[in-house]
Amino acid sequence: MRDSNQNQPQRVSVHGGHSREFCLHAQDTLEEIIRAYIDRGFAWVGITEHMPPVDNRFRYPDEVEAGLDAQTMYDRFARYIHTCRELKEKYAAQIELLVAFETETHTGSTSFIHDLIRKFKPDYIVGSVHHVDDIGFDISESGYRQAADAAGSVDALYCRYFDQQHEMIKALQSPVVGHFDLVRIFDPAYPSRLRKPEIRERIRRNLELIRDLGLILDLNVRALVKGAGEPYVSRPILEQALALGIPVVPGDDSHGVDTVGLHVEDGIRLLRDMGFDLNWPKPSLP
């Protein structure tokens, strides 16, 4: 999946396309976002809207404030799948769209995700972890502190995160593993923390499982949009993925027209410089 010119890998996103229609913290319509991908020369894109919550406990603050409940969001998710398939057909001559969704990891999520897969038959799923022991840690620094306090420390939060990620990977075998090290989001000390033996061992275990299952790592460049110094996955973990032969594919995690494709070229450059294969594998469910 690459142009004949070695220096011209295709522009793709394995994790993209959140829109205001179906996600309150995004902007613009899904069609506007898809047209932006076309205008910016993408060959294929996985549209990966969030799954609905299992129940009202797992709504995000903006969803609670907007008065949405779990059933309303389930109905919205059904509309998302229908709309995405319509747009996939409408723009088939201009771009290849994959209809997918991003998972959550919390109480009751695994069986619910399998139900969603059976009912909606997505092209693939992105397996993500945004909660540790049912506490959302990536929305705010206060939420991060709450999750760390509940775990016992920031080190313990990392360990719990990677343990739950391992459980998620085993249970879902998601073709794409999203933002692998998201747990570092509010931790400026993450470079040294990732080297701690109890955390490093869990990272290695999870990467080996990803390799054994033949899954793809999302190089999530949205971290750069938010001012981080490097994408998810951080370079030391990427070095291990490279040694293990794990494919890594850029994901812009776009949340509106303005962020479609933003920093994807930076991600491609990083992967090229590290020696990754730029023939991007395309994810699919078995």
Side-chain angles (χ1 to χ4, degrees):
M1 296 299 300
R2 183 171 55 187
D3 296 344
S4 57
N5 186 336
Q6 181 78 6
N7 296 318
Q8 296 293 328
Q10 290 185 326
R11 301 191 89 198
V12 305
S13 179
V14 78
H15 186 170
H18 298 297
S19 69
R20 181 72 178 184
E21 278 182 281
F22 307 110
C23 175
L24 289 179
H25 60 271
Q27 301 297 323
D28 307 309
T29 68
L30 183 53
E31 184 163 14
E32 288 169 337
I33 288 168
I34 288 169
R35 287 159 75 172
Y37 279 117
I38 294 169
D39 291 344
R40 293 167 198 178
F42 277 70
W44 60 263
V45 173
I47 307 297
T48 57
E49 194 52 84
H50 297 281
M51 64 178 270
V54 171
D55 58 47
N56 287 339
R57 289 176 296 164
F58 300 110
R59 293 175 297 169
Y60 285 98
D62 57 349
E63 295 162 346
V64 174
E65 185 177 348
L68 300 179
D69 61 21
Q71 184 59 54
T72 300
M73 285 185 280
Y74 186 95
D75 295 341
R76 184 181 66 177
F77 180 80
R79 291 196 303 274
Y80 155 69
I81 295 289
H82 176 75
T83 301
C84 199
R85 287 212 168 98
E86 285 189 331
L87 294 170
K88 176 177 182 173
E89 183 175 348
K90 179 176 180 178
Y91 291 103
Q94 296 163 271
I95 191 171
E96 183 178 3
L97 298 176
L98 302 174
V99 181
F101 68 85
E102 182 179 5
T103 73
E104 300 285 357
T105 302
H106 49 56
T107 298
S109 62
T110 298
S111 60
F112 187 58
I113 291 163
H114 285 301
D115 288 343
L116 291 174
I117 291 170
R118 282 190 290 270
K119 181 173 176 61
F120 295 104
K121 298 178 173 57
D123 294 320
Y124 69 94
I125 61 173
V126 175
S128 294
V129 179
H130 302 98
H131 297 77
V132 169
D133 294 323
D134 290 348
I135 300 172
F137 66 84
D138 68 330
I139 297 298
S140 66
E141 290 192 46
S142 61
Y144 192 86
R145 288 195 300 272
Q146 180 187 358
D149 289 345
S153 66
V154 176
D155 284 5
L157 176 65
Y158 273 66
C159 291
R160 287 295 299 138
Y161 172 87
F162 285 115
D163 285 347
Q164 290 185 218
Q165 184 184 69
H166 187 257
E167 294 165 8
M168 178 273 293
I169 295 168
K170 283 196 300 182
L172 299 181
Q173 299 187 25
S174 56
V176 177
V177 177
H179 40 58
F180 180 89
D181 53 351
L182 181 65
V183 69
R184 65 178 169 88
I185 186 169
F186 294 114
D187 178 23
Y190 78 84
S192 60
R193 206 176 308 278
L194 292 173
R195 293 195 295 269
K196 294 191 174 186
E198 66 274 21
I199 296 170
R200 189 178 66 240
E201 289 164 6
R202 286 169 166 84
I203 289 169
R204 182 71 180 190
R205 174 200 62 192
N206 291 11
L207 290 174
E208 289 176 350
L209 180 60
I210 289 168
R211 176 202 59 193
D212 293 346
L213 293 173
L215 311 180
I216 294 167
L217 273 180
D218 158 41
L219 184 73
N220 195 296
V221 297
R222 183 167 174 78
L224 304 179
V225 177
K226 294 187 172 185
E230 60 180 337
Y232 308 111
V233 188
S234 61
R235 189 179 183 101
I237 299 174
L238 281 177
E239 290 170 350
Q240 294 183 63
L242 178 64
L244 289 169
I246 296 170
V248 180
V249 179
D252 65 347
D253 204 354
S254 63
H255 280 64
V257 168
D258 287 349
T259 54
V260 164
L262 194 58
H263 294 298
V264 164
E265 292 299 331
D266 296 321
I268 292 173
R269 190 177 307 112
L270 171 64
L271 295 176
R272 178 194 291 121
D273 291 348
M274 291 187 69
F276 279 92
D277 186 356
L278 306 185
N279 292 284
W280 316 120
K282 202 177 298 178
S284 63
L285 284 170

